[in-house]
Amino acid sequence: MLIVLDHQASEDEIDGVFAVARAHGLEVHRSDGTEHSILGLVGDCHSLSPQRFAGLPGVREVLRLSTPYRLACRAFHPEPSLVAVGDVTVGGPEVVLIAGPCAVESEEQIEAAATAVAAAGGRILRGGVFKPRTSPHEFRGLGEPGLRMLRGAADRHGLAVCTEVLGVEQIAAVSAYADLLQVGARNMQNFPLLDALGHASRPVLLKRGLSATIAEWLAAADYVLAAGNPHVILCERGIRTFETATRNTLDLSAVPVVKGLSHLPVVVDPSHAAGHRKLVPSLARAAVAVGADGLLVEIHPDPDHALSDGPQSLTAEEFAATANRCRMIAAALGRPLGGCHV
Amino acid sequence: MLIVLDHQASEDEIDGVFAVARAHGLEVHRSDGTEHSILGLVGDCHSLSPQRFAGLPGVREVLRLSTPYRLACRAFHPEPSLVAVGDVTVGGPEVVLIAGPCAVESEEQIEAAATAVAAAGGRILRGGVFKPRTSPHEFRGLGEPGLRMLRGAADRHGLAVCTEVLGVEQIAAVSAYADLLQVGARNMQNFPLLDALGHASRPVLLKRGLSATIAEWLAAADYVLAAGNPHVILCERGIRTFETATRNTLDLSAVPVVKGLSHLPVVVDPSHAAGHRKLVPSLARAAVAVGADGLLVEIHPDPDHALSDGPQSLTAEEFAATANRCRMIAAALGRPLGGCHV
Amino acid sequence: MLIVLDHQASEDEIDGVFAVARAHGLEVHRSDGTEHSILGLVGDCHSLSPQRFAGLPGVREVLRLSTPYRLACRAFHPEPSLVAVGDVTVGGPEVVLIAGPCAVESEEQIEAAATAVAAAGGRILRGGVFKPRTSPHEFRGLGEPGLRMLRGAADRHGLAVCTEVLGVEQIAAVSAYADLLQVGARNMQNFPLLDALGHASRPVLLKRGLSATIAEWLAAADYVLAAGNPHVILCERGIRTFETATRNTLDLSAVPVVKGLSHLPVVVDPSHAAGHRKLVPSLARAAVAVGADGLLVEIHPDPDHALSDGPQSLTAEEFAATANRCRMIAAALGRPLGGCHV
Amino acid sequence: MLIVLDHQASEDEIDGVFAVARAHGLEVHRSDGTEHSILGLVGDCHSLSPQRFAGLPGVREVLRLSTPYRLACRAFHPEPSLVAVGDVTVGGPEVVLIAGPCAVESEEQIEAAATAVAAAGGRILRGGVFKPRTSPHEFRGLGEPGLRMLRGAADRHGLAVCTEVLGVEQIAAVSAYADLLQVGARNMQNFPLLDALGHASRPVLLKRGLSATIAEWLAAADYVLAAGNPHVILCERGIRTFETATRNTLDLSAVPVVKGLSHLPVVVDPSHAAGHRKLVPSLARAAVAVGADGLLVEIHPDPDHALSDGPQSLTAEEFAATANRCRMIAAALGRPLGGCHV
């Protein structure tokens, strides 16, 4: 960590900063410039928040050189991580298609969805059975029966299964049916849940929080990695901004930024960010072009009668057409999509 | 809910919207204007997200007239709610001072803090024993031993106790020691936790999420209320914006806005929003002036050696001076602060 | 405009709203629902801000059905607008490449840049001669001599010229040399400048303001259109959000959203949004994939010695490689790029 | 400026950074830590953007120690600046009340407004005669005749005059009638306008841009100061965030932050931020409590018939009551308001 001192900082104030640093077992190197003096803290700063120093008397700015994450960092693991989900590999050359309805509603609905996903070259079937809801008065999902329907449909079509866990108490049940455990945006900093997923037997899909910086997102991944589960896939799904024309603002820049900082695979969910079906195909294409390792797309055999998020779901036909366009773009980047080349 | 149709919407598209609405048991009233036709949905829309209609073919905009919350709404409960925390009442004329260290560190530290809180007219002692941490590599709190220290110090000084619960599994243990259960900003939409707190025997302090709208915040309160616990206090603690001069941007407008929409008490935490000790006194004064029902302030007997958030903590002296200023401002509004008039 | 009344609105309050509406020459239609009454205002509301009614006693919400823009709207002009810049057409099938240095620095530099732009299939040479600077202490551009250098280099390579105007007083001089007049993000709501550009003889490239909603951006375009200049190209260049990993957050969703609302062409500037050279190629690809009509890319023959924005500028080699990738992606969408098919 | 190098930075890359720095006449001091090497640039960095180095190969982060502003900085001018507006002093002990209608509409309206302002202890009459409008289809103000009405009403009541200038061409005309020239939020980075105001004979009220950081705001003030006009008053009026319950989010933390960084006076405009009359009194109280040097409040003798922003304007009675409450709060801080003590 680097500490920049006020140019009026007194020697007593500087001694105070030294004291705090040493109390944390750090060495301090001081260098005096023309306008400012700088203190360099040497030692293990990972466990220390810059807030620890910001605002100490005489301190002007604190620059954290060590990131709040360690295990998710490229420096720690220079090669890209490959995450196996069932028999699919995420993070390799293939652009992996993950698709399905927002919520599992019935045997018929999930069977129709699985048929559409497989037909378009999808590899992983997603569907919610425990739904987080902004309002307690909305539909909250089918629970365990939904898990059985989801698994059955996936198996009949050779797909892996991805679904969300809302709490620690659901991990065991969901792990019995799913190949990939999704952590929703609202839970990105639910630390007891991340800890518990670090002990789970399944890979984790970690959605970015609506107002999470990329550094906080990678630090959240560190929770899972630190607890012993190295299989984490990151998912960009839009951040909250002032713009209301879309439900959230899809931050596609995050894909190349994360690729530079971390070894973890990154997929993109264009459906939740957009909130409108008609925006999904173009955003899906852009996500492949920007370098995402996969797409998480909401589809529904009959969007107009979906129990949730229908309006942002693609029909089977729209999904197939979108997958084909994305396949051509992936080909321009030398990557197969949905398991097959153009 | 009101649905505004595109002015090119076809009759088939309009029939589609009627179908969705009726599938949810709603009546539809249509009125055709010069530029647009509007559909008014009549019936119980609380359980329906506007997303259900946004993006249906032919739909231009959806206006939710029914809020995503019901029980937190003034229309449901016109009188302000009074929440009893130990023998203190939050939401009445008194501006209630809640203060203490970010984290309980030792018997000595919490005893010194409790002394300072009581001396300045504080009524509730706060201190973290389970700490949410952005990075898994930081100090996570003392756990249950910390709870005992907190309770002991509070009892010796006639204070009530407020502390954070991170997960469902901690509620019972924390309820055994604390009078007020805090839900942190990161957990504002941790729905299983909110549900469980709805069955708890203690009032809940619900912090606003970093990127939560006021409507989402009140809907989160509805989770607790809907599960049977009517004792909820809201806490504004800063939202995430582009400005980096402060850790977060304290949204003091939220206080009068919430007072207009809801019957629940609102307190303000100037410490986490500011992130710098020197900003806390002025923001605390502003919070009282804007009409907050209380303040949640971080103090520390020795901020420079605090294990967390030291730099935003006030010393005992700074806290006493701030409390006095706030007392004079409260008096200008005809409210006592810290139990005593000026 | 639709006005939703509080369900406790008194008849006097409702009469007050009627009075304001009639004072603006509008007819009012009232319809009473179970929870709320709604007033529909019929007549020309374009000249009326929703703020005019929001906050009137008894008013709960105001929904503007008429947009703050009229001329930029698809309803006004259903066919996409084609904007001629020199002999290049923007808004047609071709994805148009606009590139050049942030600032014109010397004959040699702009000649080298023009060579690189033409070689990669670029059609328009951009370069700043009047530079907006956050700090008055930074380099502010070469002024008119720079315009001559820019025009000369463009002519030698068969390119059109795009450059920024900072104020009304520069329009005439810049129009004498440039084919396309750029309005920077900071000037998006500089209304006297927009008015004056509405009387200019050149097309206008209107960059989106850092915190402008899409509706405000289109309303700004309406200023130019309303003053008589129909030749406006929109340019998405990133919005300001809480994320600091990139200089701004490129809002690629804005491209399909604008295409749905407006007939004006939209190009994307990935360089200013990213702020880092290494992010530009992937964001340029994404912009083409999402459906942009062109790209505005910063290049520099020798970025490490650029007087401004060097670090976000591509070298000639990087630009050529990026153009080739973008050409393949455009081809996947059936569009030529830089005048030639793959 | 401090440059933190990637820990894999090659010596060639480091030489590249040295070269750029020296090309700008800076000395470079290198210090190698365990994880990172740091380069300290010594010399005049004010004219250099951190972007100049960010993204150079081998560079991890750039920390600007010298701010983008110099003249607005406390280090440059340790004593608070006092700005004389007519015979009123802004920045001294008095909390100065500035009030008036959004737009001057008629002799009667401005006379009634001036009467109300003077009666409540206001010192400066504000009113718009050139109105910036998001849409070109809205009312744009009375122009010069409005200036005469404004001056006349102010003189009859012993008030100074504040009004907005939209462009360079208006400065002379407005200076002939007004004592204080307002720069609106949308023009905060209209650099030619700021330059010209630096040569004006009147003090300048500089509103903060909707998405301007505090550092950018102070750098904008530097434009005026650098051109020779030392009389600048800053005005916080709300920033753009995701929250839509208020028109903008009033950033009251900005007041103490600016007081710490700069010697310039800061006033607060609660009316534009709130967008709703009923929020203005509480936000005005909070602004005084947080330490603002003055308030800019919209009032209207007949808000329901105002041609613009009526709903956020206070009536004469509401304004008088608000002024009295603010006077009591100012007294608690030892400051007179509106020229008189409680």
Side-chain angles (χ1 to χ4, degrees):
Chain A
M1 204 155 344
L2 270 187
I3 294 175
V4 184
L5 301 169
D6 284 330
H7 67 298
Q8 309 104 312
S10 71
E11 284 307 312
D12 281 6
E13 290 171 332
I14 298 173
D15 292 347
V17 179
F18 269 75
V20 175
R22 291 184 175 137
H24 289 83
L26 302 171
E27 254 183 78
V28 189
H29 291 171
R30 172 174 180 170
S31 66
D32 298 322
T34 49
E35 285 189 57
H36 297 277
S37 294
I38 287 104
L39 304 183
L41 308 193
V42 181
D44 176 5
C45 297
H46 289 89
S47 60
L48 210 55
S49 154
Q51 285 299 324
R52 188 68 200 76
F53 292 94
L56 284 184
V59 172
R60 180 204 170 102
E61 279 192 78
V62 181
L63 174 64
R64 181 176 209 155
L65 305 185
S66 57
T67 57
Y69 50 93
R70 207 180 338 190
L71 309 174
C73 189
R74 269 217 179 275
F76 175 81
H77 185 302
E79 289 313 299
S81 287
L82 303 182
V83 177
V85 178
D87 58 6
V88 187
T89 299
V90 180
E94 177 181 350
V95 177
V96 176
L97 276 189
I98 308 169
C102 177
V104 176
E105 298 167 11
S106 68
E107 285 286 4
E108 301 58 38
Q109 172 242 24
I110 195 65
E111 172 62 24
T115 307
V117 171
R123 304 301 224 85
I124 302 175
L125 179 66
R126 57 93 72 208
V129 299
F130 301 107
K131 302 301 304 169
R133 287 297 186 196
T134 300
S135 159
H137 313 292
E138 298 177 8
F139 172 63
R140 301 203 209 172
L142 292 185
E144 196 146 353
L147 282 174
R148 277 188 298 275
M149 298 178 192
L150 187 61
R151 181 79 259 173
D155 289 345
R156 287 189 292 277
H157 296 276
L159 302 168
V161 165
C162 171
T163 196
E164 179 167 356
V165 285
L166 291 182
V168 171
E169 58 286 358
Q170 297 169 356
I171 294 176
V174 173
S175 298
Y177 294 97
D179 303 295
L180 179 60
L181 309 180
Q182 176 177 317
V183 177
R186 296 183 181 83
N187 273 330
M188 191 200 86
Q189 292 189 313
N190 180 338
F191 302 123
L193 178 61
L194 297 176
D195 266 332
L197 287 166
H199 299 97
S201 58
R202 300 278 182 240
V204 173
L205 181 88
L206 181 63
K207 287 198 159 189
R208 180 182 184 181
L210 259 72
S211 63
T213 62
I214 289 170
E216 290 167 336
W217 190 17
L218 293 174
D222 248 29
Y223 263 87
V224 180
L225 301 172
N229 185 348
H231 308 303
V232 175
I233 300 167
L234 300 167
C235 179
E236 162 63 30
R237 46 81 67 219
I239 58 175
R240 181 155 272 176
T241 70
F242 64 81
E243 179 57 75
T244 56
T246 45
R247 185 197 277 180
N248 297 117
T249 299
L250 190 64
D251 180 12
L252 287 174
S253 315
V255 174
V257 168
V258 166
K259 290 280 179 190
L261 296 172
S262 177
H263 52 89
L264 299 173
V266 191
V267 301
V268 170
D269 170 356
S271 306
H272 283 84
H276 295 288
R277 182 189 304 164
K278 63 182 176 303
L279 300 177
V280 173
S282 52
L283 290 175
R285 297 193 310 256
V288 173
V290 90
D293 294 308
L295 295 174
L296 184 67
V297 180
E298 279 192 6
I299 70 167
H300 195 287
D302 181 6
D304 298 350
H305 297 84
L307 292 184
S308 66
D309 286 346
Q312 75 196 27
S313 298
L314 299 182
T315 62
E317 299 62 36
E318 292 167 327
F319 179 59
T322 299
N324 286 332
R325 273 300 160 83
C326 289
R327 189 170 287 110
M328 292 169 71
I329 290 169
L333 304 177
R335 304 180 72 170
L337 177 140
C340 45
H341 284 279
V342 178
Chain B
M1 206 156 343
L2 270 187
I3 295 176
V4 184
L5 301 169
D6 284 331
H7 68 297
Q8 308 105 314
S10 70
E11 284 307 314
D12 281 6
E13 290 171 332
I14 298 173
D15 292 346
V17 180
F18 269 75
V20 176
R22 291 182 175 137
H24 289 82
L26 302 171
E27 254 185 80
V28 188
H29 292 170
R30 173 175 178 168
S31 67
D32 297 322
T34 48
E35 286 190 56
H36 297 277
S37 294
I38 286 101
L39 304 182
L41 308 192
V42 181
D44 176 6
C45 297
H46 289 90
S47 61
L48 210 55
S49 154
Q51 285 300 324
R52 189 65 202 79
F53 293 93
L56 285 183
V59 171
R60 179 204 172 98
E61 280 190 79
V62 181
L63 174 64
R64 180 176 212 156
L65 305 185
S66 58
T67 57
Y69 50 93
R70 204 178 344 188
L71 309 175
C73 190
R74 269 216 179 275
F76 175 81
H77 185 303
E79 289 313 299
S81 287
L82 303 183
V83 177
V85 178
D87 57 7
V88 186
T89 300
V90 181
E94 176 181 350
V95 177
V96 176
L97 276 189
I98 308 169
C102 176
V104 176
E105 297 169 11
S106 68
E107 286 286 3
E108 299 59 37
Q109 173 241 21
I110 195 65
E111 172 61 23
T115 307
V117 171
R123 303 303 223 84
I124 303 174
L125 179 66
R126 58 93 69 211
V129 299
F130 300 106
K131 302 301 304 169
R133 287 297 185 193
T134 300
S135 159
H137 313 293
E138 297 176 10
F139 171 64
R140 302 202 207 171
L142 291 183
E144 196 145 353
L147 282 174
R148 277 188 297 274
M149 296 179 195
L150 188 61
R151 181 81 258 172
D155 289 345
R156 286 188 293 277
H157 296 276
L159 302 168
V161 165
C162 171
T163 194
E164 179 166 357
V165 286
L166 291 182
V168 172
E169 58 286 356
Q170 297 168 356
I171 294 175
V174 172
S175 298
Y177 295 97
D179 303 295
L180 180 60
L181 309 180
Q182 176 177 318
V183 177
R186 297 183 180 85
N187 272 330
M188 191 201 86
Q189 292 189 314
N190 180 339
F191 301 122
L193 178 61
L194 297 175
D195 266 332
L197 287 166
H199 299 96
S201 58
R202 300 279 181 237
V204 173
L205 182 87
L206 181 63
K207 286 198 160 189
R208 179 182 184 182
L210 259 71
S211 63
T213 62
I214 288 169
E216 290 167 336
W217 189 18
L218 292 174
D222 248 29
Y223 264 87
V224 180
L225 301 172
N229 185 347
H231 307 303
V232 176
I233 300 167
L234 300 167
C235 179
E236 160 65 30
R237 48 80 66 218
I239 59 176
R240 182 156 273 177
T241 70
F242 63 82
E243 179 58 76
T244 56
T246 45
R247 187 197 276 178
N248 297 119
T249 298
L250 190 63
D251 180 13
L252 287 174
S253 315
V255 174
V257 168
V258 166
K259 289 279 178 190
L261 296 172
S262 176
H263 53 88
L264 299 173
V266 192
V267 301
V268 170
D269 170 356
S271 306
H272 282 85
H276 295 287
R277 181 190 306 165
K278 62 181 177 304
L279 301 176
V280 173
S282 51
L283 291 174
R285 297 192 311 254
V288 173
V290 90
D293 294 308
L295 295 174
L296 184 67
V297 179
E298 278 191 7
I299 70 166
H300 195 287
D302 180 7
D304 299 351
H305 296 85
L307 292 184
S308 66
D309 285 346
Q312 74 195 27
S313 298
L314 299 183
T315 61
E317 298 64 33
E318 292 167 327
F319 179 59
T322 299
N324 286 332
R325 274 299 161 86
C326 290
R327 190 170 289 111
M328 293 168 71
I329 290 169
L333 304 176
R335 303 180 73 170
L337 178 139
C340 43
H341 284 278
V342 178
Chain C
M1 202 152 351
L2 270 188
I3 294 175
V4 184
L5 302 169
D6 283 331
H7 66 299
Q8 310 103 314
S10 71
E11 283 307 312
D12 281 5
E13 290 171 332
I14 298 173
D15 292 345
V17 180
F18 268 76
V20 175
R22 290 179 176 140
H24 288 83
L26 302 171
E27 254 185 78
V28 188
H29 293 170
R30 173 174 178 169
S31 67
D32 298 320
T34 48
E35 285 189 58
H36 297 278
S37 294
I38 286 103
L39 304 182
L41 308 192
V42 180
D44 177 4
C45 297
H46 289 89
S47 60
L48 211 56
S49 154
Q51 285 299 325
R52 189 66 203 76
F53 293 93
L56 284 184
V59 171
R60 179 204 171 101
E61 278 191 81
V62 181
L63 175 64
R64 180 176 211 156
L65 304 185
S66 57
T67 57
Y69 49 93
R70 206 181 337 192
L71 309 174
C73 189
R74 269 215 180 276
F76 174 82
H77 185 301
E79 290 312 299
S81 288
L82 302 183
V83 178
V85 179
D87 59 5
V88 186
T89 300
V90 181
E94 176 180 351
V95 177
V96 175
L97 275 190
I98 308 168
C102 177
V104 176
E105 297 167 11
S106 68
E107 286 286 4
E108 300 58 40
Q109 173 241 23
I110 195 65
E111 172 62 24
T115 307
V117 171
R123 303 303 223 84
I124 303 174
L125 179 66
R126 58 96 67 210
V129 299
F130 300 106
K131 303 300 303 170
R133 288 295 183 197
T134 300
S135 159
H137 313 294
E138 297 178 9
F139 171 65
R140 302 201 207 174
L142 292 183
E144 196 146 353
L147 282 173
R148 279 189 296 274
M149 296 179 193
L150 188 60
R151 180 80 260 173
D155 289 344
R156 287 189 292 277
H157 296 276
L159 302 168
V161 165
C162 171
T163 195
E164 179 166 357
V165 286
L166 292 182
V168 171
E169 57 287 356
Q170 297 168 357
I171 294 175
V174 172
S175 298
Y177 294 97
D179 303 295
L180 180 59
L181 308 180
Q182 176 177 318
V183 176
R186 296 182 181 85
N187 273 328
M188 191 201 86
Q189 292 188 313
N190 180 338
F191 302 123
L193 179 61
L194 298 175
D195 266 332
L197 286 166
H199 299 96
S201 58
R202 301 279 181 236
V204 173
L205 181 87
L206 181 63
K207 286 198 159 187
R208 179 182 185 182
L210 259 73
S211 62
T213 62
I214 288 170
E216 290 167 336
W217 189 19
L218 293 173
D222 248 29
Y223 264 87
V224 181
L225 301 171
N229 185 346
H231 308 302
V232 176
I233 300 168
L234 300 167
C235 179
E236 161 64 29
R237 48 78 69 219
I239 58 175
R240 182 156 272 177
T241 70
F242 63 82
E243 179 57 74
T244 57
T246 45
R247 186 197 276 179
N248 297 119
T249 297
L250 189 64
D251 181 12
L252 287 174
S253 315
V255 174
V257 169
V258 166
K259 289 281 181 188
L261 296 172
S262 177
H263 54 88
L264 299 173
V266 192
V267 302
V268 170
D269 171 355
S271 305
H272 282 84
H276 295 287
R277 181 189 304 163
K278 61 181 178 305
L279 300 176
V280 173
S282 52
L283 290 174
R285 297 193 311 256
V288 173
V290 90
D293 294 308
L295 294 174
L296 184 67
V297 180
E298 277 191 7
I299 70 165
H300 195 287
D302 180 7
D304 297 352
H305 296 86
L307 292 183
S308 67
D309 286 346
Q312 76 195 27
S313 298
L314 299 183
T315 61
E317 299 62 38
E318 291 166 328
F319 178 59
T322 299
N324 286 332
R325 274 298 162 84
C326 289
R327 190 170 287 111
M328 293 169 71
I329 290 169
L333 304 176
R335 302 180 74 169
L337 178 139
C340 45
H341 284 278
V342 177
Chain D
M1 204 155 345
L2 269 188
I3 294 175
V4 184
L5 302 168
D6 284 331
H7 67 298
Q8 310 105 313
S10 71
E11 284 308 312
D12 281 5
E13 291 172 332
I14 298 173
D15 292 346
V17 179
F18 268 76
V20 175
R22 290 182 177 137
H24 288 82
L26 303 171
E27 254 184 78
V28 188
H29 292 170
R30 173 175 179 170
S31 67
D32 298 321
T34 48
E35 285 190 57
H36 298 278
S37 293
I38 286 100
L39 304 182
L41 308 192
V42 180
D44 176 5
C45 297
H46 290 90
S47 61
L48 210 57
S49 154
Q51 285 300 324
R52 189 68 203 75
F53 292 94
L56 285 183
V59 172
R60 179 204 172 103
E61 278 190 80
V62 180
L63 174 65
R64 181 176 210 156
L65 305 185
S66 58
T67 57
Y69 50 93
R70 207 181 338 190
L71 309 174
C73 190
R74 268 213 182 278
F76 174 81
H77 185 302
E79 291 311 301
S81 288
L82 303 183
V83 178
V85 178
D87 58 5
V88 186
T89 300
V90 180
E94 176 181 349
V95 177
V96 176
L97 276 190
I98 308 169
C102 177
V104 176
E105 297 168 11
S106 67
E107 286 286 4
E108 300 58 38
Q109 173 241 22
I110 196 65
E111 172 61 22
T115 307
V117 172
R123 302 303 223 86
I124 303 174
L125 179 66
R126 58 93 71 209
V129 299
F130 300 107
K131 300 302 303 171
R133 287 296 185 196
T134 300
S135 159
H137 312 295
E138 298 177 8
F139 171 63
R140 301 201 208 173
L142 293 183
E144 197 147 350
L147 282 174
R148 276 188 297 275
M149 297 178 193
L150 188 60
R151 178 82 259 171
D155 289 344
R156 285 188 293 276
H157 296 276
L159 302 168
V161 165
C162 171
T163 195
E164 179 166 357
V165 286
L166 291 182
V168 172
E169 57 287 357
Q170 297 168 356
I171 294 176
V174 173
S175 298
Y177 295 96
D179 303 295
L180 180 60
L181 308 180
Q182 176 176 318
V183 177
R186 296 181 180 86
N187 273 328
M188 192 200 85
Q189 291 188 315
N190 180 339
F191 301 123
L193 179 61
L194 297 175
D195 267 333
L197 287 166
H199 299 95
S201 57
R202 300 279 181 239
V204 173
L205 182 87
L206 181 63
K207 286 197 160 188
R208 180 183 183 181
L210 260 71
S211 63
T213 62
I214 288 170
E216 290 167 336
W217 189 19
L218 293 174
D222 249 29
Y223 264 88
V224 181
L225 301 172
N229 185 346
H231 308 303
V232 176
I233 300 167
L234 300 168
C235 179
E236 162 64 30
R237 47 79 68 220
I239 59 175
R240 182 156 272 177
T241 71
F242 63 81
E243 178 58 74
T244 56
T246 44
R247 186 198 276 179
N248 297 118
T249 298
L250 190 64
D251 180 13
L252 287 174
S253 315
V255 174
V257 169
V258 166
K259 289 280 178 188
L261 296 172
S262 177
H263 52 89
L264 299 172
V266 191
V267 302
V268 170
D269 171 355
S271 305
H272 282 85
H276 295 288
R277 181 188 304 164
K278 62 182 175 305
L279 300 176
V280 173
S282 51
L283 291 175
R285 297 192 311 256
V288 173
V290 90
D293 294 307
L295 295 174
L296 184 67
V297 179
E298 279 192 6
I299 71 166
H300 195 287
D302 181 6
D304 297 351
H305 296 85
L307 292 183
S308 66
D309 286 345
Q312 74 196 28
S313 299
L314 298 183
T315 61
E317 298 61 36
E318 292 166 327
F319 178 59
T322 299
N324 286 333
R325 273 301 160 83
C326 289
R327 189 169 289 112
M328 293 169 71
I329 290 169
L333 303 176
R335 302 180 73 170
L337 178 139
C340 44
H341 284 278
V342 176

